[in-house]
Structure formats: structure tokens, C-alpha cells
Amino acid sequence: MIKIALGQFEIKPGHPDLNTDRMLEMIQTAKQSKADIIVFPEMAIPGYLIGDTWEQNAFLRDCEYYGKKIIAASDTIAVMFGNIAVDWAKKNTDGRVRKYNAFFTAYKRNLIHAPASPYPFIIKTLQPNYRAFDEERHFFSLPKLADELKTDIANLTSPIDLSLNHQTLKVGCLLCEDAWSDDYTFTPLALINKNHDVDLFINISNSPYTLGKNNKRNRVFSSHAKSNNAPFIYVNNIGIQNNGKTIYTFDGSSTVYDANGKIIAMNEPYTNQLNIIEIPLKGETSLPAIKVTEDTDIANIYTALRYGIKNFLQDIHMEKVVIGISGGIDSAVAAALYASILPPENVLLVNMPSIYNSTTTKDLARDLAKNLKCLYTIMPIQDSVDATVKQIKTTPIQNLNNNTTFYLEISSFVTENIQARDRSARVLAGIAASFGGGFTCNANKSETTVGYSTLYGDQSGFLAALADLWKFQIYDLAYYLNQVIYKSEVIPQETIDIVPSAELSNNQCVDEGKGDPIKYPYHDYLFRAFCEHWNRATPEDILTWYKEDLLEEKLSCEKGLIKKYFSTNKEFIDDLERWWNLYSGMAVAKRIQAPPILAISRRAYGFDHREAQNGPYYTAQYRTLKNELLK
């Protein structure tokens, strides 16, 4: 048995002083419990998603300074931790100083070398460059070092020999991605195992929460432990890290797998927790397996959202929130979320009716506020909208070159957008400033995908907490909030039942069953194929699947929807092109200016979904398919 402490804690990105203080506290507790080893996450000292702070040499020196404090604390316990490692005598390929994403092991105040390594630390081998990850921009990888030294990478890869008071262990040290090697040309695990009999594998990670990620991780890491006949330890951090456009929650969920691949210990998600456990080595009697719940249900989404919102509010020192509520589902779910985090007197719900808002939705907005016990106000906008329309229509536009004058005409569409901007840029912004808080953006992912929102209007706000949730997830979350969190119908059932509508014209009258142009049961899944599929779908893919009668299967939506919504090939193609043109056209411009989005899915908008304003594009094969279907 080996007694190991899993040091799962909240890493504050860009604050090595705070992180080191927390690590030293945990080291002291682990010493008192007679632990042999304490393990901390990847980049535990500096944080991970800190942008181009990596280009500040003063910050790098500070990380080294705090790393020495951790090494000095390793007098009676082995400390394994992640930090930036700097070779001041060498340069990266960008001409800046050489930096490594490194795994340090300190014992008796000394760093332990891997036998083949030129440095007293393990260098990350596989550097992810997908989603938000951009490690090649800043860090020098082990394959690059092997190439520079003109040696095979296997010669630089070996376990460390950790000689504790009562035994010597060969420990395979892996940094996050090094254990997710299926899509790479080589496997760090195999390289470590090549000429060595490893007693224990330790993976330090800085891995953000993604819906379903832990299920896959448990399968992969369990397989690693079983195939290598060695316990496998995964230590992850908690907290939020924010690259300016996308906010990621880190769930921790640090886990121990025994040599048979069984899960024998797991830290509580989103919890600062020093979990000290005696881990059986090869040939020793194993501990019983523990039950692990699936992480794909709405409960996990709620937990991640609540944790992310709460921590983001704390980070920006915001204690009060203003939410525009319409009586619809999105704003109701947003209100219920924030009301589960903040005191009700710190949440101000604002209903802003125009002549197009029905009595139904106005009553539902009031019922919601009453149920949540939040502050509530009604601030009609029709007079100010009329004043804006009148002012624009009656103010002369002068051409000073030829001394002519003309007046602007305002279409019904422009009038709709004036309403949306009046609500956000005028009312909510003014109320939030007076209330001493910020106002939210309540957009969902379907709206964000195609820009079904008004720039400087309902797309404004300090945080878009729901913008990585599809509409069907919004409904699931509404039921979960009622049934599990509040245990009463705080979100009125009629809000859940009414047709989703912006209520900006008579054409969107909810009492007449009129609403948004988005057919959510189908478009949720179509839009998801555009942005979340690993091999993202284009109109060519969609039309191919449609022609082969495979579309509903490929999108994983309800069967029969295509025939329900589209009676002809032309109707289907027109609909596809409408939304594709928006997704890759105007919606890009809107997303660039959108508030930061709280990430839940495998690809959230923002820095997680990198895009350029290229405009819509249709492949040659798409045009061929389109012509065939329209003949």
C-alpha cells in the first residue's frame, strides 16, 4: 500500500501566490496524516488558460519563485505538481524564452530526475491544439526537444524512481493529454512502459468540464490501468478559467483506478478536497469499487452552470443582477438560476412590455417573480420606442454637397430591433447601473448559432450563461429547477407550454400560437451538427444525408420531423440555406460582439469555436446535389 493525497483545489489562473498558499496548506495537512505522496494538478501554480500572460518574463520568474516554496515543503513528503518550467538559455520557435509545461516531483527538498531527461522535471509530450487549447503557441514539447537533441523520443521517456522511506516506486508521470493519445502517432504510456515495469501511473490534469467527458475518461483511464496492470491516479483542479470569450468550469472529479481498472476513490466534483487514500500496488488486495454516476444528465448541467455563474460573479465582484423577463422560458430559467445563487433581494426582475406583449406573458413574468421572491418592476417601453421611431422619421438627413434633404423610412423589422435595443441598451443598462449590478444575456445556443437576436439589444449583458444550451436543454433545465432544486413550480407550467416567441410584432402573438421562426425540435440538432460535431457538418453533408434518407439518424433528432416540416425538396433546401447563410454570415459578426459564454458542450461559441468572417460558402458537390433535388 502507498498512502497518497489527492490535492484537488481551486486554481486561480494568473495568481501563483494564492495557488501556492493553498498548496502549502494541503501539504501540511497531508504531512499530519502521514501521507507518502501528495499530488497536485497540471499548472497548479500559474493556472492554465491565462492567454499571453505566458509572454511576461516577470510572471515566469514569479512562478519559479513559488515553485521553490513548494519544493522546500517536501522535507518529509513527496510532492508532485504542475508548473511552468523555463530554460532561460534557450528559445522557443517564436523567439521568446523556452517554456515547458512540466510535471515536477520533489522529495526531501530536491527535485527528482527521470533517468533519461536533461531536466529535473517531466515535459508534456502531447500538446492539444483543439477547442480552447493552444499549447504550441507557448510551450516547447518533448517531441520538439527530442528532435533538437537528435534522439528518439523513447530515449527521453521513462518513469521516475521515487525512493520513499519504506520502498522505491517506478512512477509513470503523465500530463493531461498524454493519457488521451488515441489520435496521436505515438502513445506516451507505451513509451514509458517500453523498457520499464511501472508500479504506478499519475496523470496531473487541468481539464475543463464538458458534458459527458468524465464518462469517456473513466473508460479510457480504467483501460490504461488494466492493460498496464498498474494503479492509475488522475488529479484535476476545480475553479473557472476565462479566456475573455468563453468561461470554462473545472470540475475536479480526481479519481483513483486500481490495477484491475476499478474506480476505488473519487473526489467530490467542484469541491476543494484533500482526499487521502491508501492505494494497493501490484499484487496487493484491492479496495472495493465505488459507484460512479453518469455525467450526461441535466443534473450535471445545472451543477456546472450554477458553479460557473457563482464563481464568475465572485471573480468580478458582482453581488447584484438585473434580468429582463418576458414570461418566456429562457428568461425564466435564467432568473431561477441566478435566484438559486444570490439572495432574492439582490436579483431584480424587469418586465418591459410593448403593445405586442400579451397579457398572458406579462402575467407569467409577474408569477415568476413572485414565486422566486425576487424584486420586480414593470417598465413599459412603447412610449420610448414611439419617440425613437418618430425622431428618426422626422429628423432631416442633409447632403451638404448638393444642399438636398431627405427623411429615413423605418420598416417593421427595424422597429422590432428598436424595441429589443430599447429594452437592453436603455432600460436594463440604466437600471443595472442604478441598482449597482449588471444585467444578463438570456440567449440560448440555437439563437446564438443563427444570430436570432438583436445586436446591442437582447444579445447584450455581462454573461451569457445559457448560450451553450440548446432549447431542448433549456426545457429540461426548467423541469429540473422546479422538481429538484425548488421542489415547487417556480417556473410556471404555462411558461414551459407556450410557444417560444420574441413578441416583437403581431406576427409573433403567443395567444394565436405564433412564435419564433426556429423549429427547435429539428433546428436544435441541425445547428448542433454545424458547430459541435467533431467533423462539423456543412450543407453538402446535410443534403447528402437528406437525399439518402439518413438525416434524422445522423442528426439524432426525432424521426418523421423532416416530412412534418418540409413538404418539398425546395422547402427543405430554402430552409437549410437560410440558416446556413445566417450561421456563417451575420451571426458571426454578432457572436464576435457577444458576452462571454459559459461552456458546457464539446464546443462552445467564443474562443472554443474559432471562426473568421468568411461569409457563407457552398461546395461544388452541394450545388450538384441541389440541382439534382430541384429537377
Side-chain angles (χ1 to χ4, degrees), residues 34-64:
K34 307 297 183 185
D36 299 301
I37 303 170
I38 184 169
V39 185
F40 293 107
E42 176 188 24
M43 289 295 187
I45 289 177
Y48 187 36
L49 299 179
I50 61 174
D52 287 349
T53 302
W54 296 120
E55 296 173 1
Q56 300 173 0
N57 285 353
F59 180 78
L60 301 178
R61 288 192 293 269
D62 221 37
C63 293
E64 288 185 320

Side-chain angles (χ1 to χ4, degrees), residues 158 206 225 241 255 260 268 275 360 362 365 399 419 426 428 456 488 552 580 604:
S158 63
N206 207 307
Q241 300 191 35
T255 306
N260 297 313
E268 288 294 321
N275 192 1
T360 299
K362 287 186 284 188
N399 186 331
Q419 293 175 64
R426 186 181 72 86
L428 291 179
Y456 318 124
S488 65
E552 291 156 345
W580 178 258

Side-chain angles (χ1 to χ4, degrees), residues 109-225:
R109 298 192 175 97
N110 290 307
L111 289 176
I112 297 176
H113 287 245
S117 175
Y119 294 109
F121 48 79
I122 302 297
I123 298 168
K124 193 169 185 177
T125 302
L126 308 177
Q127 297 192 153
N129 283 295
Y130 53 83
R131 296 196 63 193
F133 309 114
D134 202 5
E135 294 203 15
E136 289 291 340
R137 180 179 176 89
H138 302 293
F139 310 133
F140 209 76
S141 67
L142 191 65
K144 282 185 178 179
L145 181 62
D147 185 62
E148 180 180 82
L149 298 176
K150 295 181 172 54
T151 186
D152 190 295
I153 191 172
N155 296 329
L156 300 178
T157 310
S158 63
I160 63 169
D161 292 316
L162 183 55
S163 297
L164 302 172
N165 293 327
H166 55 287
Q167 60 187 318
T168 297
L169 298 174
K170 287 193 176 295
V171 183
C173 300
L174 302 161
L175 288 104
C176 202
E177 188 80 356
D178 292 345
W180 299 86
S181 52
D182 290 351
D183 296 322
Y184 293 88
T185 55
F186 56 86
T187 303
L189 272 162
L191 295 177
I192 292 172
N193 263 329
K194 188 174 182 181
N195 300 308
H196 308 277
D197 186 18
V198 178
D199 297 303
L200 175 69
F201 285 97
I202 294 180
N203 177 275
I204 60 172
S205 288
N206 207 307
S207 181
Y209 170 78
T210 300
L211 188 63
K213 179 201 71 174
N214 286 331
N215 293 343
K216 182 177 180 180
R217 189 225 338 135
N218 286 332
R219 292 193 300 270
V220 171
F221 288 9
S222 176
S223 175
H224 288 333

